Amino acid sequence: MTHWRIRGGESLSGSVRVQGAKNAVLPILAASVLTGCETELQNCPRLRDVDASLAILRHLGCRAEWDGDTVYIDSRGVSGYTIPEKLMLQMRSSVIFLGAILGRCGCARLSMPGGCELGPRPVDLHLEAMRALGAHVECVDNVIDCAADGASGLSGATGLSGAVIRLALPSVGATENAMIAACAAKGATVIENAAREPEIVDLAGYLRALGADIDGDGGPVVTVRGFAPRERVRYRVMPDRIAASTLLCACACAGGDIELTDVTPGHFAAVTDVLGAMGCRITPASDRVRIARSGRMRGGGTVVTRPYPGFPTDAQPLLMAASLCADGTTVFVENIFENRFRQAAELRRLGALIRTEGRVAAVTGVERLRGADVLAEDLRGGAALVTAALGAEGETVVKDPGHIDRGYESLDGTLSRLGAHIEKYMN
Ligand code: UD1
């Protein structure tokens, strides 16, 4: 197994480009099935989950190939509407293919994506949205079966009808599934209480390029009015706001002065606002941001995770890592996922003082962290351990960093370019 050995205590400097967004590229790849056309998707991050999506696309009958950071997809040859369990389990967000396959074929059969390390991962809102559009949905033996009345098979009439879909929660995935399936429905669909994340806006941009008539994305009501398919689409995936937040927190932890390019600072303002209040100097520009941290940071007060534009749950473990040595207390209230403080136990091995109770974690800043052996148990929690290790004295070994590769093109490589000492080794 590969481990990462990190020697802490070096401040970071330099400039790096931030990868394309994992959470934007995945729904866009799924949506490429919706109509038979060729997509040239630029700025795709090379991630395991992206490769898992390409494997699903190929299984469905698409051609899907990498060329540099561009993925070419030809979905004219779609010949199937099922995704076997083996492919579904490789990527938890594979349920996002539901709306696209249903929209293309009038039916879809997928195995349940299952829970994950963040707690249960229900898909009830996704299924309700498909039902609202007229699909019959059954879940038997862990398989989701969806079919619309009057569907005439692959690429024919889908049998879906536009509807008002009121989401009980502004779920990102359910909003994406509803938007994609609604493109294939007859008549207008109004999605109320929609998620407002930038990745929703990016998906809407791709769907528009594909020929959809959509508005309201980025706000709480998204309307999909119709669809006039195009044959060829070129689209560029937005920058990854969580990868950017990770590098900002890494600099906050290690100290130093770095610049991130190819970013949209407005997308992660909730994170830079807190880092700024804690004493980092943040200088945003249109497509770049600079962060500098020299003296000791102050505690961050209370940070509550909320749907966009609130503080993102995915950045919570990273900011927690950055707050460990701050002078004062930072309290985290996790509102989105049940089990999102798993990093706390491993961070304590580095000497962090963290108390957790239910959805609240309180960090009391310590003078210094000390290197230790820690286990990366999930994607962002694993990145948080790496972040904290950069600010710790001595050597930290992060075991099982495979989870981290699900979300970062090469976090170790990027941090090394900024001056961090990270060495990969096998044992
Ligand atoms: C997406 C992101 C993930 C991020 C999350 C919240 C992708 C690939 N993943 O996940 O990185 O942490 O948004 O910003 O984009 N829920 C239900 N029923 C449902 C669906 C969701 O109860 O049918 C609940 C979830 O359990 C969770 C909350 O809604 O508590 C938010 O989940 P959701 O917004 O759907 O997250 P994902 O789309 O899965």
Side-chain angles (χ1 to χ4, degrees):
M1 189 183 281
T2 308
H3 305 306
W4 291 1
R5 187 182 286 123
I6 301 169
R7 184 152 52 79
E10 293 295 331
S11 58
L12 303 184
S13 63
S15 175
V16 285
R17 189 190 153 268
V18 171
Q19 69 187 50
K22 161 176 139 352
N23 288 352
V25 73
L26 299 179
I28 290 175
L29 288 172
S32 72
V33 172
L34 189 58
T35 171
C37 87
E38 290 172 276
T39 293
E40 178 185 328
L41 197 56
Q42 301 170 342
N43 201 30
C44 291
R46 284 256 180 190
L47 304 173
R48 230 166 60 198
D49 282 6
V50 173
D51 280 322
S53 296
L54 300 189
I56 292 175
L57 288 172
R58 292 186 196 110
H59 171 84
L60 294 170
C62 301
R63 216 163 48 80
E65 279 157 24
W66 282 101
D67 181 9
D69 72 354
T70 299
V71 169
Y72 291 92
I73 306 142
D74 182 348
S75 61
R76 288 173 297 181
V78 165
S79 55
Y81 58 88
T82 64
I83 306 179
E85 190 178 23
K86 194 173 83 183
L87 289 176
M88 285 296 287
L89 292 181
Q90 276 180 26
M91 185 188 54
R92 299 226 167 64
S93 51
S94 42
V95 70
I96 213 66
F97 275 89
L98 184 66
I101 301 177
L102 182 66
R104 176 74 180 268
C105 307
C107 54
R109 184 175 301 144
L110 277 62
S111 72
M112 280 281 198
C116 77
E117 50 288 278
L118 306 182
R121 213 78 189 237
V123 292
D124 53 316
L125 303 177
H126 300 242
L127 303 187
E128 264 175 45
M130 299 305 118
R131 284 195 184 102
L133 294 170
H136 299 281
V137 181
E138 276 188 12
C139 298
V140 181
D141 291 339
N142 229 23
V143 171
I144 306 169
D145 233 316
C146 265
D149 275 342
S152 58
L154 295 173
S155 308
T158 62
L160 299 174
S161 312
V164 174
I165 301 173
R166 181 160 178 84
L167 296 174
L169 288 168
S171 154
V172 175
T175 302
E176 291 166 347
N177 248 331
M179 283 164 65
I180 297 169
C183 288
K186 206 162 166 225
T189 295
V190 179
I191 306 167
E192 296 177 353
N193 199 25
R196 296 156 61 187
E197 269 66 5
E199 292 77 10
I200 298 285
V201 176
D202 213 34
L203 172 64
Y206 173 70
L207 290 171
R208 258 181 225 115
L210 217 52
D213 178 358
I214 298 187
D215 62 51
D217 47 291
V221 180
V222 177
T223 305
V224 183
R225 287 206 180 75
F227 196 62
R230 311 230 166 96
E231 286 178 3
R232 211 160 271 116
V233 176
R234 178 182 292 157
Y235 197 73
R236 186 174 174 81
V237 176
M238 62 174 265
D240 196 312
R241 62 195 171 101
I242 305 300
S245 304
T246 304
L247 298 171
L248 294 172
C249 290
C251 184
C253 234
D257 186 342
I258 64 168
E259 182 193 53
L260 308 180
T261 63
D262 264 24
V263 293
T264 308
H267 286 171
F268 45 85
V271 177
T272 45
D273 283 354
V274 182
L275 288 171
M278 291 172 82
C280 296
R281 207 170 62 246
I282 311 274
T283 319
S286 61
D287 65 345
R288 55 193 63 220
V289 65
R290 189 168 157 195
I291 179 170
R293 199 276 284 172
S294 46
R296 193 175 179 196
M297 289 198 292
R298 297 180 283 279
T302 300
V303 177
V304 185
T305 65
R306 297 189 201 281
Y308 191 84
F311 192 91
T313 174
D314 288 351
Q316 173 266 110
L318 303 156
L319 186 74
M320 182 180 284
S323 70
L324 299 177
C325 288
D327 185 8
T329 305
T330 311
V331 175
F332 294 88
V333 182
E334 174 56 57
N335 269 324
I336 310 293
F337 289 108
E338 279 176 27
N339 193 11
R340 202 141 202 192
F341 292 137
R342 281 161 58 113
Q343 73 280 2
E346 296 301 297
L347 290 171
R348 283 189 201 110
R349 290 178 193 274
L350 301 174
L353 221 55
I354 308 170
R355 278 173 299 132
T356 56
E357 199 177 316
R359 289 177 178 259
V360 180
V363 174
T364 306
V366 292
E367 293 266 346
R368 63 182 62 83
L369 299 172
R370 282 193 195 83
D373 286 8
V374 290
L375 184 65
E377 292 178 287
D378 63 73
L379 164 57
R380 306 301 172 186
L385 298 178
V386 174
T387 301
L390 297 174
E393 279 177 5
E395 204 172 272
T396 296
V397 172
V398 178
K399 294 191 226 159
D400 202 8
H403 289 289
I404 300 173
D405 293 331
R406 277 188 34 232
Y408 300 91
E409 242 169 3
S410 165
L411 185 59
D412 54 325
T414 306
L415 290 169
S416 297
R417 280 203 296 286
L418 294 171
H421 288 275
I422 306 184
E423 181 200 337
K424 274 185 181 169
Y425 72 99
M426 302 273 284
N427 92 342

